Amino acid sequence: DGSDTESGPVKEGIANFRTAMDKAGARTCGEFLAQRHRDRLPVRSRNVSDKITKAAYDFYPARELVEEEFDLLWASQTGYHSELDDAARDAIKNVFFRQRPLRAVQPGKCTLNPEEDRAPWALPLAQKFRILQDIGNLTIARPGTKERKVTLAERDILLGKLLGAKEPTFKALRKALKLAPDEYFNLENDRRTTLKGDQTAAVLAAEPTKKNAGRWGKVWRDLPFECQQQNAEMLLAEEDEERLVGWLMDECGLDRERAESVSAAPLPQGYARLGPTALTGIVDAFMNDSSETSDPDTGEVYDAPLTYDAACEAAGYHHSDLDRLGEDDLLTRLPYYGDVLTRHVVENHDAPEGSQEKRGRITNPTVHIGLNQLRKVINAIIGKYGAPNEIVVELARDLKMGKKQKDELSKQQAQNQKANEARAVKMAEVGIIDPAGQDFLKMRLWEELDPEDAANRRCPYTGKQISLQKLFSPAVEMEHILPFRRTLDNSPANKTVSMRAANREKGNRSPHEAFGDSPAGYDWEDIRTRAGCLPANKKWRFQPDAMERFDNEEKGFLDRQLVDTRYLSRISTAYLRLVCPAVWVIPGRLTAMLRGKWGLNSLLRDHNIAGAAPAKDRTDHRHHAIDAFVIACTSRGMLKRVADAADQNRQLLIEKMPDPFSGYDRDDLHRIIGGIVVSHRPD
């Protein structure tokens, strides 16, 4: 309705200012503000709304009002000073009111067609692409059954719902497909309850209300797709508001009030990674091609929507090979990344010749700085030791988090703390006075058995009721839903609580492997029903193909450790392959595991908390050097031995970890680390 942007409230504030000036009999904004100052009234424009997301101003002194006052003052003074000619007026007015033009946002190059710029997300074409990509990733399942892909008929229903709403809930989408009550989508979970629809249409199709004129209204969704695309392009390209309003009135038939509202519409921000040509081809492939699949329960063969990689291939692109640079023609040193990773950078054509801005840079400052520092380190190593045969990179996990993600994490941590405080009170009632971290986790897993009814919280396998008192008895254990030895997945998402006897019976098997045939004392249908109460990230682990899905999606232990698909990972490996063809990535959790085994956590600080395992000291930046040592000692063969140890016995994962190399001496490393002087980049 226009209230979600600054332009609407500001325009209203300007109108209020003019009305107040007329009422006060003030000729200029300065005279009006002087009167308010004389009467002890505030003269600053302030947001008087009590809402966070909606601004409101009693008055707002626009630039045009100040310019009008300048012109009146100048005209009144020219009769007294002959030197106040037009040239002087223009020069002084330019000093007062000249604004630097905003630097145009450079979108960067299309990932698939580097000669073409990326398309704005606000384009209906980009919105449709994102929606079809999400649909291609959707599968439907119920606890205890294999997932199936959506059909083309279901695709069309989902597409209609998503194009027609801003952010429909998964519940509404399930209802549209007439799914069974216990069926769910793979992408939904406790935190993600909606799927993004057409964000552009949601803005431009706003209906009029008592407070505003609306925008296009329902007419927008009836416009031909080409017309929608043209309108969005015009809204993005035309900077002169009056010309834009005139175009909307003359070419689109909108009245002035609606045209002004449309011109100020808060369209989605940012750019897709693809340009218009690639988007058009891939959207056509999404709509006109399909993949043959079969229903895992009935065996019926049907056509399903394409996934993104398949749509790329159908459109003539091969997205997986884009970043494999430098394998055939290795360089002796790393050049500036903007000279070689051209499809990833944004160029400023107005920047001085030879500057990084002119040559192109990545807009993310963390990535930009990281790649420049990486170049310096690699080139220094090459200069001293020669070209590398292999490069192993560890990526800090917090690099991928932006402000929004960090804010969400902080909010989640606050909620978790509040929940744990409530759990501590309940645990005290059953005699757990000083609960440990595992106690809080165990109670959280217990709550997940049935979030609504504590009396119905039962062992997923036996169906026996687990009371809060029984939860902390030896009869109930935390257990890995998919066996830890085969997955190395120790996250809460892979854990639940069950009766000790059921955990022993289940052993090193998935739920379906252990109980799918309903052995004595267990009923698979009952197990499947109870699993339906669990969060979505646990339900799928009770499906018959859970282990197969884990292996396929996680691509086995080695691939899970070696492949990191985050942005900086892809950029770094592409960049480093210019000087070395063998580049792979190691995740922080494996580095931490090896660091602990080799006794390196206590190298920097020996006064750890009594009774606790030595922790990594992040206040001493030499811990990066220790991590570099661990990374340098990590090989694919070592990862294989870790995997083998995990398959035999989970304790062997730590107890039988080999030393980093023959003759390894921790004290020698301690001496070297002690001689390091940390230097800091100037702030």
Side-chain angles (χ1 to χ4, degrees):
D1 59 5
S3 63
D4 52 351
T5 68
E6 192 70 10
S7 59
V10 166
K11 285 184 177 180
E12 187 176 339
I14 294 171
N16 292 340
F17 197 107
R18 289 190 180 276
T19 301
M21 282 176 58
D22 294 340
K23 186 176 180 179
R27 292 162 293 177
T28 67
C29 66
E31 184 177 7
F32 171 70
L33 294 174
Q35 291 176 3
R36 289 182 64 85
H37 183 68
R38 180 197 63 200
D39 297 336
R40 304 289 185 180
L41 296 173
V43 296
R44 290 186 178 183
S45 178
R46 298 182 185 277
N47 180 4
V48 297
S49 171
D50 58 355
K51 297 181 179 180
I52 297 176
T53 58
K54 183 177 181 179
Y57 301 95
D58 284 341
F59 61 87
Y60 199 98
R63 171 180 291 269
E64 62 194 59
L65 294 175
V66 182
E67 289 193 52
E68 290 174 6
E69 181 166 9
F70 175 88
D71 291 337
L72 282 173
L73 288 171
W74 190 273
S76 68
Q77 294 296 315
T78 53
Y80 304 103
H81 304 281
S82 59
E83 65 272 22
L84 297 181
D85 55 17
D86 290 345
R89 181 197 63 199
D90 293 343
I92 295 174
K93 191 172 183 179
N94 182 62
V95 171
F96 284 166
F97 298 108
R98 175 181 174 272
Q99 285 182 291
R100 293 179 180 176
L102 294 176
R103 177 182 291 182
V105 176
Q106 300 292 330
K109 297 300 181 182
C110 170
T111 305
L112 300 176
N113 291 324
E115 68 279 1
E116 188 174 64
D117 286 343
R118 296 173 178 177
W121 276 121
L123 293 180
L125 176 65
Q127 292 289 307
K128 189 173 184 179
F129 160 77
R130 178 181 48 73
I131 291 170
L132 287 168
Q133 185 179 20
D134 281 344
I135 294 175
N137 291 329
L138 278 181
T139 59
I140 300 171
R142 53 164 47 106
T145 65
K146 293 183 179 180
E147 292 184 347
R148 67 168 180 86
K149 295 179 69 68
V150 299
T151 65
L152 294 183
E154 290 173 329
R155 186 272 311 274
D156 293 339
I157 294 173
L158 292 170
L159 180 61
K161 295 289 290 185
L162 291 164
L163 289 176
K166 182 178 181 180
E167 202 163 0
T169 64
F170 282 111
K171 181 179 180 180
L173 297 178
R174 289 197 302 270
K175 183 177 180 181
L177 297 187
K178 299 179 180 178
L179 299 182
D182 62 342
E183 287 185 296
Y184 60 91
F185 294 108
N186 61 317
L187 297 184
E188 66 176 308
N189 53 51
D190 295 336
R191 295 184 182 179
R192 186 179 185 183
T193 60
T194 62
L195 201 59
K196 269 190 179 181
D198 189 334
Q199 308 286 293
T200 298
V203 171
L204 295 180
E207 294 284 357
T209 67
K210 293 180 179 179
K211 294 184 178 181
N212 63 72
R215 299 192 181 100
W216 276 91
K218 64 181 181 181
V219 176
W220 173 261
R221 301 190 191 277
D222 296 329
L223 291 176
F225 185 78
E226 294 74 15
C227 186
Q228 291 181 347
Q229 187 80 358
Q230 181 186 16
N231 269 268
E233 289 173 349
M234 187 67 179
L235 291 175
L236 293 167
E238 182 54 72
E239 296 181 0
D240 188 291
E241 184 177 357
E242 194 54 40
R243 281 204 299 265
L244 177 57
V245 169
W247 183 85
L248 289 168
M249 294 170 63
D250 297 339
E251 299 296 328
C252 303
L254 298 178
D255 59 48
R256 171 166 284 277
E257 198 172 9
R258 285 208 177 198
E260 289 179 348
S261 181
V262 169
S263 70
L267 296 177
Q269 300 294 303
Y271 294 86
R273 293 198 177 276
L274 304 178
T277 300
L279 285 176
T280 300
I282 294 173
V283 166
D284 286 345
F286 273 134
M287 293 301 299
N288 300 316
D289 291 281
S290 61
S291 62
E292 190 175 273
T293 187
S294 61
D295 188 298
D297 290 331
T298 66
E300 178 186 356
V301 177
Y302 63 94
D303 289 330
L306 297 181
T307 55
Y308 171 66
D309 57 337
C312 282
E313 187 172 352
Y317 300 108
H318 299 281
H319 79 287
S320 60
D321 296 331
L322 291 175
D323 289 329
R324 300 191 66 79
L325 304 175
E327 292 190 355
D328 299 326
D329 188 16
L330 296 179
L331 303 179
T332 56
R333 294 174 64 83
L334 280 177
Y336 170 62
Y337 75 84
D339 295 338
V340 287
L341 302 178
T342 54
R343 65 167 54 90
H344 299 283
V345 302
V346 172
E347 299 175 23
N348 178 11
H349 302 292
D350 298 326
E353 287 294 333
S355 66
Q356 290 184 355
E357 287 75 14
K358 181 75 171 182
R359 296 156 71 186
R361 61 175 289 170
I362 289 172
T363 54
N364 184 312
T366 299
V367 178
H368 171 74
I369 293 171
L371 291 178
N372 280 332
Q373 296 297 314
L374 182 64
R375 183 183 78 251
K376 293 179 181 179
V377 170
I378 293 297
N379 286 343
I381 293 174
I382 291 175
K384 186 170 184 178
Y385 299 106
N389 295 320
E390 184 178 34
I391 298 178
V392 186
V393 182
E394 186 210 45
L395 294 175
R397 284 165 289 188
D398 57 355
L399 281 182
K400 69 174 181 177
M401 297 179 66
K403 183 180 184 305
K404 181 178 179 181
Q405 289 79 13
K406 289 179 180 178
D407 289 344
E408 290 176 351
L409 178 61
S410 297
K411 181 180 178 181
Q412 184 62 45
Q413 288 173 337
Q415 293 174 346
N416 291 343
Q417 181 177 351
K418 186 176 180 180
N420 279 339
E421 290 171 355
R423 289 171 184 139
V425 172
K426 291 183 178 179
M427 281 189 274
E429 296 174 357
V430 295
I432 309 297
I433 304 302
D434 188 18
Q438 291 298 301
D439 296 322
F440 286 109
L441 176 58
K442 195 172 189 180
M443 187 167 178
R444 171 184 153 192
L445 298 176
W446 174 70
E447 293 167 349
E448 290 177 348
L449 296 177
D450 191 320
E452 305 297 331
D453 186 2
N456 194 42
R457 290 169 185 165
R458 301 175 181 277
C459 169
Y461 308 115
T462 65
K464 292 182 179 179
Q465 184 179 11
I466 301 177
S467 64
L468 184 59
Q469 184 79 40
K470 183 183 288 185
L471 177 67
F472 294 102
S473 72
V476 177
E477 294 182 335
M478 284 192 293
E479 73 103 14
H480 295 88
I481 303 172
L482 297 183
F484 176 79
R485 298 181 192 178
R486 296 163 62 186
T487 64
L488 294 184
D489 185 353
N490 198 39
S491 69
N494 191 39
K495 291 180 179 179
T496 188
V497 288
S498 71
M499 301 304 295
R500 178 187 181 95
N503 190 18
R504 296 295 182 270
E505 176 71 22
K506 179 169 169 282
N508 191 30
R509 296 176 291 177
S510 71
H512 189 266
E513 289 172 344
F515 307 118
D517 294 331
S518 298
Y522 300 91
D523 186 292
W524 177 248
E525 284 303 310
D526 289 344
I527 293 174
R528 187 177 69 79
T529 300
R530 286 189 290 270
C533 295
L534 295 174
N537 63 348
K538 300 189 179 186
K539 290 179 184 178
W540 69 267
R541 299 172 191 263
F542 285 79
Q543 295 170 2
D545 61 343
M547 285 306 306
E548 179 183 349
R549 172 175 168 179
F550 182 89
D551 291 336
N552 289 339
E553 291 187 359
E554 301 290 342
K555 299 178 183 178
F557 174 79
L558 291 180
D559 285 346
R560 292 201 307 278
Q561 304 300 327
L562 306 181
V563 178
D564 189 304
T565 58
R566 295 198 296 269
Y567 181 52
L568 183 55
S569 169
R570 297 197 305 272
I571 297 294
S572 298
T573 52
Y575 191 31
L576 292 171
R577 285 194 181 108
L578 290 168
V579 294
C580 177
V583 182
W584 49 286
V585 178
I586 182 173
R589 61 174 178 169
L590 184 61
T591 306
M593 185 169 60
L594 293 170
R595 191 177 58 240
K597 161 60 183 173
W598 293 334
L600 305 182
N601 285 330
S602 59
L603 283 180
L604 300 180
R605 182 175 294 180
D606 293 322
H607 50 283
N608 288 283
I609 299 173
K616 179 178 179 178
D617 179 13
R618 296 184 180 276
T619 62
D620 189 328
H621 291 285
R622 289 176 298 173
H623 74 77
H624 294 298
I626 296 176
D627 283 351
F629 169 81
V630 174
I631 295 160
C633 295
T634 304
S635 66
R636 293 173 185 262
M638 180 176 293
L639 292 179
K640 181 66 168 62
R641 291 195 295 275
V642 171
D644 292 343
D647 278 337
Q648 296 167 24
N649 187 305
R650 70 183 64 174
Q651 296 302 322
L652 294 179
L653 186 63
I654 299 300
E655 295 173 3
K656 294 192 175 181
M657 190 84 70
D659 282 343
F661 51 82
S662 177
Y664 162 66
D665 186 346
R666 179 183 177 278
D667 292 336
D668 189 40
L669 179 62
H670 195 182
R671 177 184 57 79
I672 295 172
I673 295 296
I676 291 177
V677 177
V678 177
S679 64
H680 296 267
R681 184 175 183 268
D683 189 345

